[in-house]
Amino acid sequence: MNSIVVLPPSILSHPHLPRSVTTLKRRCLHASSSSLATPLPVTQAGPPPTAPLPAVSQYGERVNRRRRQAELLKKGQEMRMQQMKPGSAMKKRFWKDVGVQTNSADGLYTVYLDSRPVRNPQTKVPLSIPPSKPHLATAIALEWDLLTSAQQALRAHLIPLTSIASRAHDLALQDASDASSRAPSQPTASHQSRTIRDDIIMTLLPYLDTDTLLCWAPPTPNDADSTMTTIPSLRDLQARVAEPIISYLTTIIWPGVQLNPSLDEGTIIPAQQPQETKDIIRGWMTGLNAWELVGLERAVLAGKSLCVAARLLCEWGESFANVRRSLDRGRPHGAQRFGIEEAAQACSLEVMWQTGRWGEVEDTHDVDKEDLRSQFGSAVMVASGTSQA
């Protein structure tokens, strides 16, 4: 079978092409009709086109996705409510007004739902707030005023201040019962009456060995020569944040206590803190009142740091007002106090450093960040007060 090669006219008219090629016009390799390409001239030269930009509606799509997720969540809540018995009072809110009343005898605050007092879920007695904490009573009343059904009151995350105040109320009742029933020949309390306090101290003290504030990243080769980079390493940032907090605790709150970094170079096993340090901190926690100890517990469990929680408690706790006043005399006017934002940054410094380099995961890092601040806020609310003692 003969084949024909089709050459374009531009090649056939080339002056340096051999004559034998120019005389052979066609040599077909197939039986289909040929079609010549139409080359386009290059009219201009320049840099490559710019990279495409994201669509303008990207933000709108993210908002719409959040709305769809909220609608699905709302439908799920409605389906769970429909599974309850018909006519159940849990489906609706059985109170109209929420208010705070003061007992004329002892000055304690009580939150009322119409004429019903908010009760402690454990002891079933009315939840009483100390006279020095009117802001806490008002915040609890606001929590209940925002509820739309009685079923929501069964979820602790919707009433965080009520739950932490109830735990502090339980501990305060046990401490008062222990103090009134203690005989002169029996100076120590029984195990049953100090269960909550002992359990809290036993739970919080092990956090000292793996404290977030004391767990530093291992040194990198660039740490030896600071001139190699202008960006501080994670270890430098951790030391910069931890040193003022450690200095405050070891000079004012726990004088003479030694707090060492938990992680040594080249190991992932945390180093144990000295036993003398643990004994001093245990005695310090034993001397806290019920409301401050419960606030310390909430802050430690949220931030995984006993040092940061203790620093936050000393800055806002009602029993540390004299310490703050003595320090304010030598503090510059307008100096910033150690608050919720500073505590949250000290506990999540590594996460902030990583997300600053690689970005945040949507609906994960942002949710954790706000939840941490909410937990610290509830700890400050339950521990602070108006007393000047």
Side-chain angles (χ1 to χ4, degrees):
M1 179 181 177
N2 295 330
S3 299
I4 299 176
V5 178
V6 180
L7 299 177
S10 59
I11 296 179
L12 293 175
S13 60
H14 197 279
H16 299 286
L17 196 66
R19 183 178 298 272
S20 59
V21 177
T22 57
T23 55
L24 182 60
K25 300 292 184 180
R26 293 176 178 273
R27 186 181 179 187
C28 297
L29 299 177
H30 53 81
S32 61
S33 60
S34 61
S35 59
L36 301 178
T38 303
L40 297 177
V42 179
T43 58
Q44 63 181 10
T50 59
L53 299 176
V56 181
S57 61
Q58 183 179 6
Y59 178 75
E61 293 177 357
R62 181 177 179 181
V63 173
N64 294 332
R65 183 171 68 254
R66 290 288 185 89
R67 290 177 178 174
R68 291 193 297 267
Q69 293 175 355
E71 292 176 357
L72 293 176
L73 181 61
K74 184 177 179 181
K75 291 181 180 179
Q77 293 177 351
E78 293 176 353
M79 293 177 60
R80 286 193 294 269
M81 293 182 64
Q82 292 176 359
Q83 294 176 358
M84 301 177 62
K85 296 181 180 180
S88 175
M90 298 292 289
K91 289 184 178 181
K92 55 186 179 180
R93 171 172 164 165
F94 60 83
W95 65 92
K96 293 183 179 180
D97 299 324
V98 182
V100 179
Q101 297 184 13
T102 306
N103 191 340
S104 58
D106 49 16
L108 297 176
Y109 296 100
T110 305
V111 179
Y112 278 85
L113 310 178
D114 293 335
S115 59
R116 305 178 181 88
V118 174
R119 296 183 178 274
N120 190 314
Q122 297 295 332
T123 60
K124 305 303 180 183
V125 299
L127 180 60
S128 301
I129 308 300
S132 61
K133 302 181 185 296
H135 55 282
L136 178 60
T138 304
I140 293 176
L142 180 60
E143 279 186 347
W144 286 86
D145 195 32
L146 293 176
L147 299 181
T148 59
S149 65
Q151 187 184 19
Q152 292 181 345
L154 302 178
R155 303 172 184 175
H157 67 278
L158 295 178
I159 49 173
L161 291 176
T162 305
S163 62
I164 190 175
S166 299
R167 182 164 177 80
H169 187 245
D170 291 339
L171 180 56
L173 291 178
Q174 281 197 0
D175 289 345
S177 176
D178 174 66
S180 60
S181 61
R182 183 184 304 169
S185 60
Q186 188 180 5
T188 58
S190 61
H191 176 73
Q192 182 178 2
S193 62
R194 302 300 296 270
T195 300
I196 299 179
R197 180 173 289 272
D198 292 342
D199 287 347
I200 292 177
I201 295 176
M202 292 177 60
T203 301
L204 300 186
L205 198 58
Y207 278 90
L208 189 62
D209 293 330
T210 58
D211 198 291
T212 302
L213 189 72
L214 303 178
C215 291
W216 297 356
T220 59
N222 293 337
D223 294 342
D225 188 4
S226 59
T227 61
M228 296 181 61
T229 177
T230 58
I231 301 176
S233 64
L234 176 58
R235 185 180 180 88
D236 294 337
L237 294 176
Q238 289 173 330
R240 189 181 306 171
V241 172
E243 286 174 357
I245 300 177
I246 295 175
S247 176
Y248 182 93
L249 295 176
T250 55
T251 57
I252 299 175
I253 306 303
W254 309 320
V257 166
Q258 182 180 2
L259 295 175
N260 303 320
S262 298
L263 295 180
D264 295 331
E265 183 178 358
T267 180
I268 60 174
I269 301 177
Q272 299 290 324
Q273 297 295 334
Q275 186 61 38
E276 182 181 0
T277 298
K278 296 181 180 179
D279 295 339
I280 294 176
I281 296 177
R282 182 187 291 109
W284 176 79
M285 289 191 292
T286 304
L288 297 175
N289 62 49
W291 298 86
E292 291 175 343
L293 182 59
V294 171
L296 179 70
E297 179 191 26
R298 175 65 65 89
V300 172
L301 296 180
K304 306 300 183 294
S305 173
L306 180 59
C307 295
V308 174
R311 179 67 180 89
L312 185 66
L313 177 65
C314 295
E315 189 69 28
W316 300 96
E318 190 174 5
S319 300
F320 300 91
N322 291 331
V323 177
R324 292 193 297 270
R325 281 196 298 268
S326 62
L327 294 177
D328 289 341
R329 297 189 185 98
R331 183 181 300 178
H333 180 70
Q336 187 176 6
R337 299 178 62 180
F338 188 86
I340 297 173
E341 188 65 27
E342 289 75 17
Q345 292 179 2
C347 291
S348 57
L349 183 60
E350 183 175 358
V351 176
M352 295 170 56
W353 189 79
Q354 295 288 355
T355 54
R357 297 185 61 186
W358 311 108
E360 291 185 352
V361 177
E362 185 180 354
D363 295 334
T364 301
H365 290 115
D366 50 353
V367 175
D368 293 342
K369 180 171 59 177
E370 298 302 327
D371 180 70
L372 179 61
R373 285 157 176 77
S374 175
Q375 300 295 335
F376 281 154
S378 63
V380 170
M381 288 287 291
V382 77
S384 59
T386 58
S387 176
Q388 300 298 322

